[in-house]
Amino acid sequence: MVRSIKNPKKARRKNKAKSGDGSSSSSSAHSMPTKVWQPGVDKLEEGEELQCDPSAYNSLHAFHIGWPCLSFDIVRDSLGLVRTAFPHTSYFVAGTQAEKASLNAIGIFKVSNISGKRRELMPSKPASGDSEMDSESESDEDSDDEEDGGSGIPVLQLRKVAHEGCVNRIRAMVQNPHICASWADTGHVQIWDFSSHLNVLAESEKEVSLGGSSVSSQKPLMKFGHKDEGYAIDWSPLVPGRLVSGDCKSTIHLWEPTSGASWNVDATPFSGHAASVEDLQWSPTEADVFASCSVDGNIAIWDTRLGKSPAVSFKAHKADVNVISWNRLASCMLASGSDDGTFSIRDLRLLKEGEPVVAHFEYHKHPVTSIEWSPHEASTLAVSSSDNQLTIWDLSLEKDEEEEAEFKAKTKEQVNAPEDLPPQLLFVHQGQKDLKELHWHPQIPGMIVSTAGDGFNVLMPSNIQSTLPSDTA
């Protein structure tokens, strides 16, 4: 699995390859029909460049916090459980991949004024030239449309805590979001209390410059050393404070909270994989059950009451299994993404019958780096890949040949759409380089945040109608 960001530099982008669904056009011959561009399939000809189709988004913004971040998490807040009105505010934690180990930090940050935009149809004129991305945050489209819920660029407020080594993965506890766990490339898992930083951010409206944000020193609540570094970690959604962490030596340790600020880590690990444990997911309905995936190509289901061996283990992919996601709205469904670019959906009720795969997709041509079910739509999930695509899928969709023919007839003069796209493919987002991780916002339906080598994107696709307010469609 390709996980590290090589030779990281401070994030800089030009709008020559804007975030978007990647429609391609020629600046010298822009009267030619617009064509949907597919990474790994199509090549840019001389004089062609990628252009964003702004009509595809109800909201689209980009920002960065300095060094690239391999992993981040959305921090649940008290602003409302289901928020649909722009502008939005969101809190995050993210871990850096700095050039020197001593420069690494965990960023605790707030992004406010995430505004919605009323988009025009397919762009009919070429882009007006390249421009450097602002050092803090920038909307991919300039707009002053007040009636769509705010105008201007998002406001970034940032606080930093020094972290020993690069952060391989970071996760905030569901029940107490100010408590976070980080996996370091030093081989240590650490637990942090960021309540003071989040409180300051909640009370402040002052935007900060990245260079001016000082790095504070803070001791973790708990620190545990694995025998090797790792990437797999997950908080239990059912038992506050319960945690599992897995390493590249194929072992998994269980953390049980003993008080509000301490944990007992079981010295005897769960063992059953033949190679690195890449991801872990607790069951959304059974407090003692979790799943793991590994470079050995297997997925294992564990029950902490039954000892240190898997309750069930099965071959999931022909290559490394990089990531898994357990559906919290349909707990029988487990999604997995592989190093060969494929991802699969399994119905765990069918495990005893020997063939639990209910869907298998080979759309991506490079390793799948992140996969996550929507917290608001049981049949929807998002996938990111090293092919620099973030795709959204709705498994409830089926091919309708009559509707497809009607759509092609209406759009043939505007769009040359690929012929072989799966009917379940709902949306394609492009423009980020070296995509690493994505998360749906648990409290803002339709919002996805992704991190890549060149920073973060916040996007709300316009075709996810059921979860968006009617006045922004």
Side-chain angles (χ1 to χ4, degrees), residues 173-243:
M173 190 193 300
V174 176
Q175 302 87 350
N176 300 301
H178 60 282
I179 303 295
C180 299
S182 65
W183 237 127
D185 63 0
T186 60
H188 294 96
V189 176
Q190 299 173 82
I191 297 180
W192 307 82
D193 184 348
F194 293 139
S195 56
S196 62
H197 302 284
L198 290 167
N199 289 337
V200 169
L201 291 173
E203 296 170 1
S204 172
E205 295 297 333
K206 185 179 179 181
E207 187 172 5
V208 297
S209 64
L210 297 180
S213 179
S214 61
V215 180
S216 62
S217 296
Q218 178 177 330
K219 289 185 178 181
L221 297 176
M222 177 83 179
K223 184 175 181 179
F224 175 76
H226 280 251
K227 293 182 178 179
D228 196 359
E229 68 173 314
Y231 297 82
I233 194 167
D234 194 38
W235 292 103
S236 169
L238 302 177
V239 181
R242 182 174 285 177
L243 182 77

Side-chain angles (χ1 to χ4, degrees), residues 8 88 162 183 253 296 335 411 419:
H88 288 298
W183 237 127
H253 286 272
D296 63 16
T411 60
E419 296 287 336

Side-chain angles (χ1 to χ4, degrees), residues 64 98 110 151 164 204 298 305 332 344 367 379 387 395 440 467:
H64 65 82
K110 170 185 175 183
S151 63
E164 183 182 352
S204 172
N298 292 337
R305 299 163 297 185
C332 59
S344 300
S379 63
D387 61 12
L395 302 185
W440 295 86
T467 57

Side-chain angles (χ1 to χ4, degrees), residues 96-285:
T96 64
Q97 297 274 305
E99 196 170 45
K100 296 180 180 179
S102 59
L103 298 177
N104 279 296
I106 294 175
I108 305 100
F109 55 104
K110 170 185 175 183
V111 182
S112 54
N113 198 40
I114 302 173
S115 57
K117 302 292 193 298
R118 191 174 297 280
R119 300 298 186 177
E120 305 247 344
L121 293 177
M122 193 72 67
S124 58
K125 57 183 179 180
S128 58
D130 296 346
S131 62
E132 284 280 338
M133 181 179 177
D134 183 80
S135 64
E136 280 133 28
S137 61
E138 179 181 56
S139 168
D140 281 32
E141 282 269 315
D142 290 328
S143 173
D144 294 318
D145 195 352
E146 296 283 353
E147 67 183 66
D148 280 329
S151 63
I153 63 176
V155 175
L156 173 64
Q157 298 162 257
L158 173 66
R159 295 177 68 86
K160 298 176 183 177
V161 172
H163 187 274
E164 183 182 352
C166 293
V167 179
N168 290 347
R169 195 158 288 176
I170 188 166
R171 292 291 182 263
M173 190 193 300
V174 176
Q175 302 87 350
N176 300 301
H178 60 282
I179 303 295
C180 299
S182 65
W183 237 127
D185 63 0
T186 60
H188 294 96
V189 176
Q190 299 173 82
I191 297 180
W192 307 82
D193 184 348
F194 293 139
S195 56
S196 62
H197 302 284
L198 290 167
N199 289 337
V200 169
L201 291 173
E203 296 170 1
S204 172
E205 295 297 333
K206 185 179 179 181
E207 187 172 5
V208 297
S209 64
L210 297 180
S213 179
S214 61
V215 180
S216 62
S217 296
Q218 178 177 330
K219 289 185 178 181
L221 297 176
M222 177 83 179
K223 184 175 181 179
F224 175 76
H226 280 251
K227 293 182 178 179
D228 196 359
E229 68 173 314
Y231 297 82
I233 194 167
D234 194 38
W235 292 103
S236 169
L238 302 177
V239 181
R242 182 174 285 177
L243 182 77
V244 279
S245 56
D247 59 36
C248 294
K249 290 290 187 182
S250 76
T251 59
I252 301 167
H253 286 272
L254 175 66
W255 301 53
E256 292 283 9
T258 56
S259 70
S262 63
W263 281 258
N264 178 42
V265 184
D266 193 336
T268 305
F270 294 88
S271 182
H273 284 295
S276 172
V277 177
E278 299 292 273
D279 203 3
L280 289 160
Q281 285 274 282
W282 283 99
S283 165
T285 57

Side-chain angles (χ1 to χ4, degrees), residues 17 46 48 108 136 181 201 245 252 266 314 372 379 383 402 420 457 464:
E46 185 177 352
E48 287 186 321
I108 305 100
E136 280 133 28
L201 291 173
S245 56
I252 301 167
D266 193 336
F314 53 89
E372 188 169 286
S379 63
V383 179
E402 183 177 336
D420 57 348
N457 274 191
I464 305 183

Side-chain angles (χ1 to χ4, degrees), residues 80-102:
L81 294 178
V82 181
R83 308 201 291 271
T84 58
F86 289 111
H88 288 298
T89 295
S90 187
Y91 294 83
F92 304 88
V93 287
T96 64
Q97 297 274 305
E99 196 170 45
K100 296 180 180 179
S102 59

